[in-house]
Amino acid sequence: MTIQEIQNQLIDEFSFFEDWSQRYEYLIELGKSLPLIDEKYKTDLYLIKGCQSQVWLHAQYDGTLIHFTADSDAIITKGIVALLVRVFTGHTPQEIAAADTAFIDKIQLKEHLSPTRANGLVSMLTQMKKYALDIIQNS
């Protein structure tokens, strides 16, 4: 499935909910299903700067695809990073670097987050794309 197809799937999933309390519940469920990050990556080196909560993000490159794992100490934030992991994991660095993330606006996620969580979302996206760009530049 392409990054765009996954984003379209998320747009469809979020459209099922009538209000943001239901969407927050869905984010929490996504966070609970997030594959666990190895404890050895829960260090300052993998901590995303710019997030109010603690968010750890690890990228594993297998020579073709990047696989992300993540965790957070806050349930909504964990759901947000789970969304991004779902979109980007299992794709090439080139696909991730070039990806449009308009789905965030289409599901109105930033509009319904506190300013600090919205900044954290941008920081998570930036870090994921940075991992992809670093791999491209070092290949």
Side-chain angles (χ1 to χ4, degrees):
M1 195 176 283
T2 68
I3 288 174
Q4 190 58 54
E5 289 169 339
I6 295 167
Q7 291 182 23
N8 290 341
Q9 189 177 58
L10 285 167
I11 292 166
D12 289 345
E13 289 170 16
F14 273 79
S15 73
F16 288 124
F17 303 109
E18 294 178 17
D19 61 41
W20 264 92
S21 65
Q22 293 173 331
R23 290 178 181 162
Y24 284 129
E25 286 298 319
Y26 185 59
L27 274 176
I28 291 167
E29 289 305 311
L30 288 174
K32 289 178 182 175
S33 67
L34 183 67
L36 291 179
I37 191 170
D38 191 309
E39 287 296 317
K40 69 182 177 186
Y41 299 119
K42 289 177 94 171
T43 66
D44 286 347
L45 182 62
Y46 300 95
L47 201 57
I48 295 182
K49 310 298 183 253
C51 287
Q52 178 182 8
S53 308
Q54 290 189 306
V55 180
W56 299 271
L57 179 69
H58 177 255
Q60 177 79 34
Y61 181 56
D62 67 9
T64 305
L65 306 175
I66 299 177
H67 302 277
F68 291 100
T69 54
D71 196 7
S72 176
D73 62 351
I75 56 172
I76 296 287
T77 306
K78 190 171 181 172
I80 295 167
V81 76
L83 269 180
L84 299 178
V85 166
R86 181 170 158 190
V87 168
F88 293 122
T89 204
H91 294 282
T92 68
Q94 293 79 7
E95 290 170 325
I96 294 166
D100 175 356
T101 55
F103 84 100
I104 292 168
D105 293 329
K106 288 181 181 170
I107 65 173
Q108 301 174 332
L109 183 57
K110 269 203 250 182
E111 296 169 33
H112 291 89
L113 295 175
S114 66
T116 53
R117 280 204 181 112
N119 289 341
L121 168 63
V122 171
S123 296
M124 290 177 223
L125 274 170
T126 301
Q127 185 61 47
M128 293 175 113
K129 287 192 172 250
K130 183 182 180 316
Y131 278 135
L133 289 169
D134 287 350
I135 291 167
I136 294 166
Q137 291 172 351
N138 293 318
S139 294

